[in-house]
Amino acid sequence: MLTSLIGFTVVAALLTVSPGPDFAVVLRTALGSGRRAALCTALGIAGGCFVWGLAGAVGLTAMLAASQAAYDALRVAGALYLVWLGVQALRSARHRRGADAAAADEPADGGAPAVPGGPWRAFRGGLLTNVLNPKVGVVYLSLLPQFIPHGAPVVATTMLLVTVHAVLGVLWLGGVTLAVHRARAVLQRPRVRRRLDQATGGVLVALGAAVGFEVAR
């Protein structure tokens, strides 16, 4: 079991640091709403891992993989959610341009605006980002069984492996959040914030469009 756990940890670490929607969403939250909200978003993403892990353990992801219509429907929902997040970021950048004219490139006071709805909204955003991404379920379905030793309890071992992945995700995204927080004196400058909003918004829209294009093919 220990060998399987170590092997899965290595693979999960590589998956965790791969750029994707989770990274973009946490980065945007850290820039726009601060460290606390970004950490709540990371916890929501970890919660999504547990949702998919439990679904896989009881066979729901197998059904999802077998049903192209269900898979495509979930992907479309996820694509629309990513595009919506990206459009929100681009709108924020556009609105910021006029507000920043009088204070061009002056450092911000270091504080971040509160998130409407508080930590729960940030957590929910992270959760939806993961739950609406069926690739997570398919990856779990194809990857986790390879690391479950013969004779081991399937549900308990699956959730243990998912816990490892979730913890790695929180550590990685938490590190990203802290890095953004430490660099806030630069990142909160109006022009820099506007460019970052444009960049993260463009990435999110592109990710959503790419998913939608794959479904349409």
Side-chain angles (χ1 to χ4, degrees), residues 15 21 52 61 64 71 74-75 129-143 165 207 210-212 214-215 217:
L15 289 174
W52 280 117
T61 50
L64 184 65
Y71 182 78
L74 193 56
R75 291 185 74 186
T129 298
N130 214 343
V131 170
L132 291 177
N133 183 3
K135 287 187 176 180
V136 178
V138 174
V139 167
Y140 276 5
L141 179 66
S142 59
L143 182 65
H165 187 210
L207 286 170
V211 172
E214 289 181 15
V215 173
R217 284 192 304 176

Side-chain angles (χ1 to χ4, degrees), residues 189-204:
R189 289 179 177 176
R191 183 176 297 175
V192 175
R193 277 293 311 279
R194 188 167 64 249
R195 297 304 182 194
L196 287 171
D197 278 343
Q198 291 170 341
T200 55
V203 168
L204 288 168

Side-chain angles (χ1 to χ4, degrees), residues 62-154:
M63 182 181 68
L64 184 65
S67 173
Q68 186 64 38
Y71 182 78
D72 286 346
L74 193 56
R75 291 185 74 186
V76 168
L80 291 174
Y81 182 66
L82 289 176
V83 170
W84 181 80
L85 290 176
V87 170
Q88 293 294 102
L90 294 173
R91 289 180 60 191
S92 175
R94 186 182 62 186
H95 293 161
R96 193 180 301 279
R97 175 176 295 178
D100 292 344
D105 256 2
E106 287 296 322
D109 61 6
V115 186
W120 164 243
R121 179 172 179 177
F123 178 89
R124 183 182 62 191
L127 182 68
L128 287 174
T129 298
N130 214 343
V131 170
L132 291 177
N133 183 3
K135 287 187 176 180
V136 178
V138 174
V139 167
Y140 276 5
L141 179 66
S142 59
L143 182 65
L144 295 183
Q146 302 179 40
F147 295 94
I148 299 177
H150 180 70
V154 174

